Amino acid sequence: MNLNVNVGGIDKIARISVGVLLIILAIMGIGTPWTWIGIVPIVTGLSGRCPAYSIFGINTCGIEKK
């Protein structure tokens, strides 16, 4: 499994935004305990690495591998 950077700019912004929204909902007690899953998109957005993208060969960062 290759963990090179594979999450691009817009994808990072979307992941972090959705993750923060889910965490806020979890803290406020709105929704289900599953809202804590928002930690995952925050971590993948901040790190720029998504293990699922590596498995499926997806790359949204636009950097060509040589």
Side-chain angles (χ1 to χ4, degrees):
M1 185 164 67
N2 188 3
L3 288 179
N4 290 333
V5 174
N6 59 6
V7 178
I10 294 172
D11 197 359
K12 284 183 181 184
I13 293 168
R15 287 170 182 263
I16 293 168
S17 299
V18 169
V20 167
L21 176 65
L22 288 171
I23 296 301
I24 289 170
L25 290 174
I27 290 170
M28 293 174 61
I30 300 171
T32 67
W34 280 100
T35 53
W36 287 104
I37 199 79
I39 293 170
V40 174
I42 290 172
V43 169
T44 59
L46 291 174
S47 70
R49 298 180 184 133
C50 178
Y53 276 13
S54 294
I55 292 170
F56 295 111
I58 300 170
N59 185 349
T60 63
C61 71
I63 298 173
E64 294 282 330
K65 277 178 66 175
K66 294 183 179 180

